[in-house]
Amino acid sequence: MDVSDLLTSAGINIAICVVLLSLYSILRKQPGNACVYFTRRLVSEPVRGTGAISCFERFVPSTGWIAKAWQATDEEILAVGGVDAVAFMRIVVFSIRVFIIAAVICLFIVLPVNYYGQDMQHKEIHSESLEVFTIGNVKEDSKWLWVHCLALYLISCSACVLLYFEYKNITKMRLAHITGSPPNPSHFTVLVRGVPWSPDNSYSNSVEQFFSTYYPESYLSHQMVYGSCTVDKLMKDAERMYRMLKSIDPRFLDRSLPYCIPGGAAHSFMVLNLRADSISSSTSMDRLQPSQRRKECPAAFVFFRTRYAALVAAQVLQSSNPMLWVTELAPEPHDVYWSNLSIPYKQVWLRKITTLIASVVFMFLFLLPVTFVQGLTQLEHLDQLSRRVPFLKGILK
């Protein structure tokens, strides 16, 4: 491969990036994609129409969002996305800095050494093979090979220094966020999974006895996790319906519209007449099936008196069996996905192992054909391959 081929490949990649950025700029303006690109805003604010944006502007790519994203400060990102968003952006900035340092060192130190590593007649730059820019063009036992070692040490030391300052800044930011934020119930809460079943006690009694015995001074109370039931589904549908009705202009609301209350089979809302007897009969708790009532799950939220006690309980191994009494710090209340908490911990562990195995299998299935194709592209090995495997001669040609 020569320099012109490399520039062609770089041009193709740059063009693809421009096309993808343009698609993102167009898709984020479409009203139907608001739930994808502005989920956090829609949760806190009602859905509004995009009448302020004309139809022409919605299908024309714009670059203003790139400048706004680049000019955003850490404080603004912290206020909008939290500490994790700031940490992610600092990782991106750290990667860009390391890349710039490596590019400068390699461009002004390593490349000249490689290019003039042997006494040879050089062609024009655009006609040169890329091999003259690699370490393979340097003579064996040459003293200039120390330049490569020096470049590696400079890049590694620069990356370590930058990483130290990034970790220092992020640590200070996290400590300031924890100490400056008001007390949150999740700071005093531990999520316990894998509660063992006892024929004599319920899950709730088992959790209370366990933590009262091992954490008598710091244990406060607990809340069991229950399986999904009709009430949970009604609450989710009511919240979704509330958001939909809140986004509608009051001028379009008609007082004669029928009221929607829980009770359907395919969905939890159905149209009923505005009569007290129909409402009371449809919402009676006596009609709930026994399978729809709350059932205790082997998981619970345990509350402690101090944050230190909750942290210790979350980090300590509670049992010799790693599948029982598994503790971790509780997530934020709005980050809890209740359906996952009802899954047995053994099944969660098996899912993680299955995902890891599938990832490894996919990696090898991806690497094998790529390695084979990359090997075929090495022209100096094609003759040997065609002699050893004669039936591939036509394909290789």
Side-chain angles (χ1 to χ4, degrees):
M1 180 183 290
D2 52 19
V3 178
S4 59
D5 296 336
L6 178 63
L7 295 178
T8 302
S9 177
I12 293 174
N13 288 309
I14 293 174
I16 292 175
C17 291
V18 172
V19 171
L20 293 178
L21 289 176
S22 301
L23 286 176
Y24 170 77
S25 177
I26 294 174
L27 293 176
R28 66 189 294 269
K29 298 179 183 179
Q30 308 307 314
N33 296 332
C35 59
V36 178
Y37 296 102
F38 305 100
T39 305
R40 182 183 294 272
R41 186 184 302 175
L42 294 180
V43 170
S44 58
E45 300 177 3
V47 182
R48 300 297 181 187
T50 56
I53 302 178
S54 63
C55 181
F56 177 75
E57 292 179 353
R58 286 197 286 114
F59 293 96
V60 175
S62 59
T63 57
W65 61 273
I66 299 179
K68 292 181 180 178
W70 184 262
Q71 296 173 358
T73 61
D74 291 344
E75 290 74 15
E76 295 175 351
I77 299 176
L78 179 63
V80 175
V83 181
D84 292 336
V86 178
F88 177 78
M89 293 306 301
R90 298 308 305 175
I91 292 174
V92 175
V93 173
F94 165 78
S95 302
I96 294 175
R97 290 176 176 175
V98 173
F99 175 79
I100 292 175
I101 294 174
V104 171
I105 294 176
C106 293
L107 186 62
F108 293 100
I109 299 178
V110 177
L111 283 184
V113 172
N114 294 339
Y115 189 73
Y116 296 104
Q118 292 187 11
D119 297 333
M120 58 181 298
Q121 187 68 27
H122 290 283
K123 306 176 184 179
E124 295 183 1
I125 295 296
H126 64 275
S127 301
E128 287 281 10
S129 175
L130 292 181
E131 293 182 356
V132 300
F133 298 101
T134 64
I135 192 174
N137 195 49
V138 183
K139 294 180 180 180
E140 295 184 2
D141 300 331
S142 176
K143 296 181 179 180
W144 292 107
L145 291 175
W146 285 101
V147 175
H148 288 268
C149 298
L150 178 62
L152 290 176
Y153 276 110
L154 289 177
I155 296 173
S156 301
C157 293
S158 302
C160 292
V161 172
L162 291 176
L163 193 62
Y164 168 77
F165 285 108
E166 290 295 338
Y167 265 104
K168 185 177 180 180
N169 294 333
I170 293 176
T171 302
K172 289 182 179 180
M173 189 180 304
R174 288 188 180 276
L175 290 176
H177 176 73
I178 293 175
T179 56
S181 59
N184 194 314
S186 60
H187 298 161
F188 302 84
T189 310
V190 171
L191 174 61
V192 182
R193 307 190 68 171
V195 180
W197 165 253
S198 175
D200 300 330
N201 296 325
S202 62
Y203 285 125
S204 180
N205 293 335
S206 298
V207 171
E208 184 176 2
Q209 292 179 2
F210 181 85
F211 286 94
S212 298
T213 302
Y214 293 101
Y215 302 92
E217 298 180 357
S218 57
Y219 170 72
L220 182 61
S221 63
H222 71 279
Q223 172 62 50
M224 296 300 303
V225 175
Y226 297 95
S228 59
C229 62
T230 303
V231 177
D232 299 329
K233 191 173 187 299
L234 297 180
M235 291 178 63
K236 293 179 181 178
D237 290 342
E239 184 178 359
R240 189 180 303 111
M241 184 70 68
Y242 169 75
R243 279 204 220 101
M244 293 173 58
L245 295 177
K246 192 176 180 181
S247 62
I248 300 177
D249 194 336
R251 294 176 297 176
F252 296 99
L253 291 177
D254 189 359
R255 293 179 179 272
S256 61
L257 290 177
Y259 290 87
C260 298
I261 70 168
H267 52 81
S268 59
F269 286 87
M270 62 180 298
V271 180
L272 296 177
N273 296 326
L274 189 58
R275 294 202 305 266
D277 54 350
S278 63
I279 296 176
S280 61
S281 62
S282 300
T283 59
S284 176
M285 293 299 294
D286 297 335
R287 298 184 57 184
L288 293 178
Q289 299 296 329
S291 59
Q292 296 176 334
R293 297 181 180 178
R294 287 190 168 187
K295 296 181 179 179
E296 285 187 347
C297 299
F301 290 99
V302 181
F303 309 103
F304 291 86
R305 301 181 185 276
T306 61
R307 298 174 65 174
Y308 178 77
L311 181 62
V312 171
Q315 300 294 331
V316 172
L317 186 63
Q318 306 294 337
S319 173
S320 58
N321 188 348
M323 295 290 111
L324 299 179
W325 298 109
V326 181
T327 56
E328 59 180 330
L329 285 176
E332 297 287 338
H334 58 272
D335 292 336
V336 177
Y337 194 70
W338 296 97
S339 300
N340 285 346
L341 296 182
S342 59
I343 301 175
Y345 186 75
K346 292 183 179 179
Q347 186 176 350
V348 174
W349 183 77
L350 290 176
R351 289 185 181 187
K352 291 181 180 179
I353 298 298
T354 304
T355 304
L356 178 61
I357 295 175
S359 302
V360 174
V361 171
F362 175 78
M363 180 183 64
F364 280 103
L365 291 178
F366 176 78
L367 287 178
L368 291 178
V370 170
T371 305
F372 178 74
V373 173
Q374 289 291 337
L376 293 180
T377 58
Q378 303 296 326
L379 297 179
E380 62 271 14
H381 301 303
L382 290 183
D383 294 337
Q384 300 178 5
L385 186 61
S386 61
R387 288 195 299 267
R388 294 182 180 180
V389 189
F391 63 89
L392 291 179
K393 185 178 295 186
I395 298 177
L396 296 178
K397 184 180 295 184

